[in-house]
Amino acid sequence: MNVDSSMCASSGPMNAWEQLDWTQCERQVSRLQARIVKATRAGHWGKVKALQRLLTHSFAAKALAVKRVTENQGKHTPGVDGKIWSTPAAKSKAIASLQRQGYKPQPLRRVYIPKANGKLRPLGIPTMKDRAMQALHLLALAPVAETTADKNSYGFRPERSTADAIEQCFKALAKGSSAQWVLEGDIKGCFDHISHDWMRQHILTDAVVLQKWLGAGYIENRTLFPTEAGTPQGGIISPTLANLVLDGLEKLLDQTFRAKTVAGKTINPKINLIRYADDFIITGATKDVLENEVRPLVEQFLRERGLQLSPEKTCITHIDQGFDFLGQHLRKFDGTLLVKPSKKNTHAFLEKVRGIIDANKSVSQESLIRQLNPVIRGWVNYHRHIVAADAFQRVDFEVWRRLWLWARRRHPEKSRRWVKDRYFHPIGPRQWTFAAETGKRTPEGKPIWLKLVYASDTKIRRHLKIRAEANPFDPDWQDYFAERAFRKKFGIHRHEAGIKSS
């Protein structure tokens, strides 16, 4: 079952890395992960641990772990040791270094990144070797996490997204008979306060290695600080560990709040949990059931794990008042649920666009377009599954207004007509397209333009939510995920799809 170093060429470490059979490595790891899923579902925990050990000691898994950390966005970011693996020889050597015996992780390098509210979020950067060890053990832990996960948990899980979470919100709230009240939950410093004892006792992974990671500490201003709680944001395995800590809440709610018959009348509390990482909502039939029954149960659940709700961010809201969740605003108008981009999210996006434009007053038009397009395209794609047409038009107008001021400022002596003809061109149905010639031409001799992305050009398409029980590590779901990937690639959408969602 193991893939050994015979998969490598024998002419040196450089060739060894470059000639690895990655398809074979992935196939071997997938087989072991499928066996872990089967053992987890059957509750054979001893077998799960044995298979995890087999996987983490295999050459194939070690090679894939090194490949992941040397090809992701952080591949040029070193830890406290200042080392990166940038050459084939270093990567080949790294595979052999991933040994459990004698392994001792180094402290994290602490940095801070800005949050949307102006505060700073601490980020811990492990060394390359520690990242690779985390990636290795994640290959063995992820099948367990996916098999035992809450049905409606969507954050930091393969094949799931915020669009799935929002679609589930729609399913839970859209009908006339749906719950009318929502508990908006936010966990205070989730990653920083998770109980180490709880993780050691309940997370099915190598306990010795896990304890070493949890107690590695971090270095800030050349000072070593110990870590007595939490799992650091920045580690590859940290999001999965956090999900495992929070999983079980949905099952607890389902078991506690069931429809019951009283005096011949059925009472349904309409409790539904939708969670994305540490942000979640819980629907309820009444404010009283959420405030006096659901919230205390959630607080107790979190307390056992060293966590607590954030008092300032946790509140109970009626659906007619609306609430923000994952950058969207959900609210009922005359009994109809509408999901739109939130004002806060739209404002943050426009501020980012303005910042790019203001910081590039003297660059070429082509350079500015190349900087703006990924930002605009990313925001539009995020919101393209909801009622966003009006928001897209407002955004287009605001972007046009800022670009018009940018163009006018560059040529104060020129007329408005001259500025318009210089920067805005009639292309397709638009008379005012912010575009620059690339210097290339079509076979017919026409210029090829680099055009700004316009939000309103994107069609609104309803998202097809992933099936709740779908598991990417289970071979039984292979055809389902292949069909979803095919439909996504070729733009086949909900009304055309034959896939059922739940």
Side-chain angles (χ1 to χ4, degrees):
M1 178 62 65
N2 284 357
V3 181
D4 56 33
S5 55
S6 64
M7 292 174 60
C8 303
S10 58
S11 55
M14 180 177 294
N15 286 335
W17 176 263
E18 293 179 339
Q19 296 182 20
L20 272 173
D21 186 344
W22 294 112
T23 301
Q24 179 69 0
C25 286
E26 290 170 358
R27 186 179 296 117
Q28 295 293 338
V29 169
S30 294
R31 287 174 183 169
L32 281 172
Q33 289 176 324
R35 293 176 64 189
I36 291 173
V37 168
K38 186 176 180 180
T40 301
R41 189 174 288 122
H44 297 158
W45 307 119
K47 186 173 183 180
V48 170
K49 290 183 178 180
L51 290 168
Q52 286 181 322
R53 187 181 186 281
L54 186 61
L55 191 152
T56 56
H57 284 72
S58 71
F59 178 87
K62 292 177 181 180
L64 288 174
V66 172
K67 185 174 187 285
R68 173 172 179 174
V69 302
T70 55
E71 293 185 358
N72 62 15
Q73 290 184 344
K75 62 185 178 181
H76 299 304
T77 304
V80 293
D81 61 356
K83 296 179 180 178
I84 59 172
W85 299 334
S86 56
T87 65
K91 295 172 187 178
S92 292
K93 187 177 179 181
I95 296 175
S97 73
L98 301 184
Q99 302 292 333
R100 182 181 186 274
Q101 186 174 0
Y103 170 63
K104 184 178 180 181
Q106 293 184 263
L108 304 163
R109 180 166 68 89
R110 174 64 65 91
V111 298
Y112 291 89
I113 57 175
K115 296 171 66 174
N117 59 8
K119 297 181 180 179
L120 295 175
R121 173 184 284 119
L123 197 67
I125 301 177
T127 64
M128 291 294 290
K129 181 175 180 179
D130 293 335
R131 272 177 258 175
M133 283 293 284
Q134 289 190 20
L136 174 62
H137 284 267
L138 180 58
L139 289 171
L141 181 60
V144 177
E146 282 301 299
T147 307
T148 60
D150 283 347
K151 293 185 301 180
N152 290 302
S153 163
Y154 299 97
F156 303 117
R157 293 182 61 191
E159 305 295 339
R160 284 163 169 80
S161 66
T162 54
D164 291 306
I166 294 298
E167 182 66 17
Q168 182 60 27
C169 290
F170 188 86
K171 289 176 178 290
L173 294 165
K175 296 179 181 178
S177 59
S178 297
Q180 299 296 301
W181 292 89
V182 176
L183 169 66
E184 303 174 58
D186 184 271
I187 301 170
K188 186 176 181 180
C190 179
F191 282 84
D192 297 329
H193 299 109
I194 297 173
S195 167
H196 285 183
D197 287 340
W198 194 96
M199 283 194 281
R200 285 193 297 267
Q201 294 171 21
H202 294 90
I203 292 181
L204 201 64
T205 190
D206 191 315
V208 174
V209 175
L210 176 62
Q211 175 57 36
K212 290 180 178 180
W213 286 332
L214 296 177
Y218 63 91
I219 290 179
E220 185 176 1
N221 297 326
R222 300 184 180 181
T223 303
L224 175 63
F225 295 88
T227 49
E228 299 176 354
T231 177
Q233 295 188 65
I236 288 175
I237 203 170
S238 294
T240 301
L241 293 177
N243 267 338
L244 284 164
V245 170
L246 297 175
D247 280 333
L249 178 57
E250 184 173 11
K251 296 171 187 175
L252 177 62
L253 291 169
D254 288 344
Q255 292 169 0
T256 306
F257 300 98
R258 294 178 176 176
K260 55 186 178 182
T261 302
V262 179
K265 183 179 181 181
T266 300
I267 299 175
N268 186 353
K270 301 177 183 178
I271 305 299
N272 296 283
L273 169 73
I274 299 103
R275 178 170 67 83
Y276 190 92
D278 58 340
D279 291 326
F280 64 89
I281 67 162
I282 302 175
T283 68
T286 65
K287 183 177 182 179
D288 180 70
V289 72
L290 290 177
E291 193 164 27
N292 298 321
E293 298 181 52
V294 172
R295 181 164 182 166
L297 187 67
V298 172
E299 289 174 339
Q300 175 60 32
F301 176 89
L302 295 176
R303 195 178 302 118
E304 294 171 359
R305 293 152 173 76
L307 301 171
Q308 61 179 322
L309 291 174
S310 170
E312 63 271 15
K313 294 183 180 179
T314 301
C315 58
I316 298 174
T317 308
H318 194 275
I319 191 61
D320 289 346
Q321 295 176 321
F323 64 96
D324 290 352
F325 186 54
L326 302 177
Q328 321 287 22
H329 184 73
L330 297 91
R331 182 179 177 184
K332 271 190 174 179
F333 296 87
D334 296 326
T336 300
L337 181 68
L338 298 181
V339 186
K340 302 179 179 181
S342 72
K343 291 181 179 179
K344 183 178 178 181
N345 180 273
T346 304
H347 176 74
F349 162 71
L350 288 174
E351 284 298 304
K352 186 173 184 178
V353 169
R354 290 173 188 134
I356 293 173
I357 295 172
D358 290 345
N360 291 276
K361 295 177 180 177
S362 59
V363 303
S364 67
Q365 184 182 16
E366 180 179 350
S367 176
L368 181 60
I369 293 173
R370 293 191 186 279
Q371 292 184 61
L372 288 174
N373 276 355
V375 176
I376 298 172
R377 188 178 291 113
W379 186 83
V380 170
N381 286 340
Y382 185 83
H383 294 288
R384 73 187 186 276
H385 302 301
I386 61 173
V387 184
D390 290 344
F392 286 176
Q393 290 182 353
R394 290 197 303 270
V395 160
D396 280 346
F397 174 76
E398 287 298 322
V399 174
W400 171 85
R401 191 171 65 85
R402 299 298 300 189
L403 290 174
W404 177 251
L405 293 175
W406 175 87
R408 289 276 291 161
R409 191 184 299 117
R410 291 162 71 91
H411 306 283
E413 305 297 326
K414 299 294 185 178
S415 68
R416 292 173 179 265
R417 170 63 67 179
W418 187 95
V419 173
K420 189 269 182 189
D421 292 341
R422 170 69 174 80
Y423 293 101
F424 296 88
H425 307 278
I427 300 176
R430 291 186 180 276
Q431 295 300 307
W432 285 67
T433 302
F434 192 73
E437 287 193 45
T438 61
K440 300 178 182 178
R441 294 189 172 273
T442 65
E444 295 78 21
K446 296 181 179 179
I448 296 177
W449 297 89
L450 175 66
K451 298 179 288 184
L452 183 76
V453 170
Y454 285 88
S456 56
D457 288 345
T458 298
K459 292 183 179 180
I460 304 299
R461 302 279 192 180
R462 180 83 175 270
H463 177 68
L464 180 65
K465 191 184 83 70
I466 190 170
R467 292 186 64 177
E469 65 274 22
N471 187 338
F473 298 103
D474 188 340
D476 291 344
W477 289 96
Q478 185 175 351
D479 291 343
Y480 171 80
F481 283 108
E483 189 172 358
R484 278 182 70 88
F486 174 82
R487 293 180 182 280
K488 182 178 180 180
K489 180 178 180 180
F490 292 99
I492 302 174
H493 300 283
R494 183 186 182 91
H495 65 283
E496 303 164 281
I499 308 176
K500 295 181 180 179
S501 63
S502 66

